[in-house]
Amino acid sequence: MLSARSLFQEIIDHDDSFQLFCSIAASGESQGGWENGRIAALVPDGMADLAPKIARHGADEDKHGRIFDALLHKRGLEPVPVPPETDYTMLLERHGIGLPHDKLRREEPLTEKDIVVYLAHSRVTEQRAADQMDMLVKHFGNHPELGKAIRMICNDEDNHLAYCHEELLRLAAAGHGRTIQGVLRESALTEIKVYRDVSLAVMAEMGRVLRWPRAKSAALTAGIQAMYGYERFGGWHRMISLRMPERRGALNGPPTVAPAF
C-alpha cells in the first residue's frame, strides 16, 4: 500500500534517489538563504528593525542547505544537478512569487511595499515548508540517519512561520492590511499550482531512478492531482490566515548552529 512513509522510506533507502532528494532540498534552501540575505541588506531605513530577523531567516536557510549536503557526504555522495522542472524556488520566482532576482542583485534599497510583499509570499511558502517537515518528523523523527536533521529543520521552519504571522499582523495594523490580503490570496493560488507541478516532476524523476512500474507512477500522479484538487477547492485557505503565534519573537537573536553537520 502506498503511503507517505513507505514512499519516503523507499527514496532514502536507495543512494541515487536519496542523492536527488537531498540535492533538490539543498539547492532550494541555499537559494532561500541568498534571497533572504539580499533582502536583509536592502531593507529600507524605515523598516530597519526587520533586517536582523530577515538575516536570521537567511542564515537558517543556509544552514539547512549545509545539513542536506552533510547528509549526502555521510553516504559518500556528491550533490547532483537539479532538473529545472523540480526547482520549486526558481519556478515560484518565474510565476511572480518572491522578489525578482534582478532587483535583489542591485544595490538600491527596497521599498516598504517590497518588504510587505516579501513577508506575504514567505507566509505562504513557509506554511508549505512547515507542513512538509511536520510530516517528515512524524514518520522519521527518530530515524538514525535523518532524525536529528529533520527535527532541527522542522523547528526552524516553525519559527519562520511564526515570524511571518507576527510581522504581517503588525504591518496589517500599520495600514497594510489590504495589500497583505491580496498578495496572500494570489500567492497561495499560484503556489499550489507550482507545488503540484514540482511534485509531479519529482515523482517522475524518482520513478525513473527507482524503476517504478507504470501502475505505481499512475497512482502517485492521481494522488498528487487529488491533493491539488483539494487545495484548489478550499485547502489553500490555511495558507493565508493570520493569527498571533505562540512563539513570539521567533527570529530574535542569532541563528542556532548545527555542530553535528
Side-chain angles (χ1 to χ4, degrees):
M1 178 179 177
L2 287 177
S3 67
R5 180 184 178 86
S6 65
L7 184 66
F8 194 68
Q9 186 71 60
E10 186 176 0
I11 290 170
I12 65 176
D13 283 347
H14 190 286
D15 278 353
D16 289 346
S17 52
F18 182 75
Q19 186 179 37
L20 179 59
F21 166 77
C22 287
S23 297
I24 291 171
S27 175
E29 296 287 357
S30 297
Q31 184 65 41
W34 178 83
E35 290 173 357
N36 280 280
R38 289 302 300 153
I39 292 168
L42 300 174
V43 167
D45 290 341
M47 305 178 87
D49 58 310
L50 277 173
K53 301 175 186 178
I54 299 172
R56 159 76 185 274
H57 189 176
D60 284 345
E61 303 286 5
D62 281 335
K63 177 182 69 179
H64 300 167
R66 294 194 302 273
I67 288 173
F68 284 112
D69 282 339
L71 291 172
L72 282 175
H73 295 155
K74 283 184 177 182
R75 283 208 194 178
L77 303 171
E78 293 295 329
V80 295
V82 175
E85 62 273 17
T86 70
D87 193 330
Y88 174 78
T89 306
M90 180 193 72
L91 291 172
L92 284 175
E93 189 209 354
R94 188 174 295 170
H95 285 80
I97 305 299
L99 298 180
H101 285 188
D102 62 342
K103 177 179 286 192
L104 297 182
R105 291 189 183 98
R106 302 175 201 152
E107 294 302 326
E108 302 170 6
L110 298 171
T111 67
E112 191 168 290
K113 183 178 180 181
D114 285 333
I115 301 302
V116 172
V117 169
Y118 148 74
L119 283 168
H121 288 166
S122 295
R123 187 266 174 269
V124 171
T125 56
E126 292 299 332
Q127 182 70 59
R128 181 70 71 187
D131 289 348
Q132 289 183 317
M133 294 313 302
D134 283 344
M135 181 273 291
L136 288 178
V137 168
K138 176 182 176 181
H139 295 302
F140 295 94
N142 295 317
H143 190 277
E145 184 180 13
L146 302 179
K148 186 172 184 178
I150 61 177
R151 291 196 307 272
M152 182 180 297
I153 295 172
C154 184
N155 183 66
D156 288 344
E157 299 298 0
D158 287 344
N159 282 339
H160 300 166
L161 187 57
Y163 139 81
C164 290
H165 277 272
E166 185 173 3
E167 297 302 333
L168 284 171
L169 285 169
R170 182 175 65 83
L171 288 167
H176 296 283
R178 181 170 294 181
T179 298
I180 292 169
Q181 187 178 48
V183 174
L184 284 174
R185 185 181 190 280
E186 181 181 359
S187 299
L189 290 172
T190 299
E191 193 279 342
I192 62 173
K193 294 178 183 176
V194 171
Y195 181 71
R196 176 201 59 189
D197 293 345
V198 169
S199 297
L200 290 170
V202 170
M203 287 301 103
E205 288 291 329
M206 292 300 175
R208 178 185 59 78
V209 169
L210 296 170
R211 298 183 180 179
W212 286 337
R214 288 186 180 180
K216 183 172 184 175
S217 294
L220 288 170
T221 296
I224 292 168
Q225 294 287 10
M227 176 57 71
Y228 171 71
Y230 160 75
E231 291 196 324
R232 183 65 184 85
F233 182 72
W236 62 275
H237 288 288
R238 80 186 188 288
M239 309 177 87
I240 67 170
S241 62
L242 293 175
R243 63 185 182 283
M244 189 56 68
E246 293 182 9
R247 300 187 186 194
R248 304 290 293 274
L251 293 191
N252 292 341
T256 56
V257 296
F261 300 94

